[in-house]
Amino acid sequence: MKDLRNSFAAIAKAFSLWWGDWANQVLVCLAAVLLSLTAILALPAYIGVLEQARDLTHGARTGIAGMWSGFRRELRRSLPWGLLNLAAAAVFGFTLWFYANSRFVFAPTLVVFISAAALIYFIWQYFSLACYTLQEEKKIKLAWQNALALLLSRPGVMWLSGLLGAALSFVSLRFFVPLALGSPALIALMSLTAVQQALRDGAEANRPES
């Protein structure tokens, strides 16, 4: 129950930060969406959103300047990561389309299995990006390991935010209107506040009793 309460608290904090700086977040998201139209720059653009969102969680409103600075700084390192995720999305998308239109007896079961695998992969990458933004050592493999460790050790805090982030991402891509209202920044903030809350919970749990 405590983990769920902390998860809701992290989500509420993300929404409060986003709403309190909404005008800046909309501008940041419009810039990120324009960069994402190239597809290959989608992940570096999102990292830029995360960079300024991280500043916001620390009380600094860097807005479009923070986003652009993060985008430029992480562009070269994040391009291979973006290509990997584009390839994964293509594989998941093709296999789902194939089996959804297949007449094989086991096709519905495979659709459910592939959908679940795609969701888990999205949430893992979603928090990997947040961990990458927060960690001092900018190594992608370390971010993957940290995200996986938090998902396994603090599931009550992480998975609720992850599922909400996945749902909001789907709605944003499906209907586009949320993109214009700053949804990428809210999605980024939810991942960051969840990771920060999970780290605090872990530190409290490991604190020796006096």
Side-chain angles (χ1 to χ4, degrees):
M1 287 298 294
K2 182 181 178 181
D3 280 351
L4 285 177
R5 286 198 302 270
N6 288 344
S7 183
F8 282 117
I11 293 169
K13 180 181 178 181
F15 184 83
S16 177
L17 290 169
W18 174 77
W19 184 250
D21 195 42
W22 182 73
N24 279 330
Q25 298 308 303
V26 168
L27 290 176
V28 165
C29 291
L30 287 176
V33 168
L34 289 175
L35 289 169
S36 298
L37 293 176
T38 62
I40 194 172
L41 294 179
L43 190 134
Y46 181 66
I47 288 182
V49 175
L50 278 165
E51 289 280 328
Q52 64 84 38
R54 179 203 58 207
D55 294 340
L56 192 57
T57 65
H58 294 156
R61 298 185 177 187
T62 55
I64 193 73
M67 178 266 176
W68 183 246
S69 175
F71 170 78
R72 291 180 59 188
R73 184 172 58 252
E74 299 297 335
L75 177 60
R76 183 174 297 180
R77 278 186 294 221
S78 60
L79 276 176
W81 195 355
L83 291 173
L84 173 64
N85 282 333
L86 283 174
V91 170
F92 282 126
F94 174 77
T95 52
L96 278 173
W97 171 84
F98 179 81
Y99 287 113
N101 292 279
S102 172
R103 295 184 178 180
F104 295 134
V105 175
F106 52 82
T109 302
L110 285 175
V111 167
V112 172
F113 176 79
I114 295 168
S115 298
L119 178 61
I120 292 171
Y121 179 83
F122 172 88
I123 292 175
W124 175 45
Q125 290 297 299
Y126 175 60
F127 286 121
S128 294
L129 286 161
C131 288
Y132 180 84
T133 304
L134 291 169
Q135 66 194 30
E136 293 184 5
E137 192 174 0
K138 298 298 183 181
K139 291 186 177 180
I140 296 173
K141 288 184 178 179
L142 179 61
W144 290 347
Q145 293 169 359
N146 287 337
L148 183 59
L150 288 175
L151 284 167
L152 294 176
S153 63
R154 316 304 304 180
V157 175
M158 301 292 287
W159 284 96
L160 181 60
S161 291
L163 290 170
L164 185 57
L168 186 53
S169 298
F170 175 79
V171 171
S172 297
L173 293 174
R174 176 66 178 82
F175 299 104
F176 299 109
V177 174
L179 294 174
L181 297 177
S183 63
L186 178 57
I187 292 166
L189 280 164
M190 286 194 301
S191 68
L192 291 169
T193 55
V195 169
Q196 290 168 337
Q197 184 64 57
L199 291 173
R200 284 194 297 270
D201 291 351
E204 290 180 5
N206 295 326
R207 186 178 302 162
E209 296 182 2
S210 55

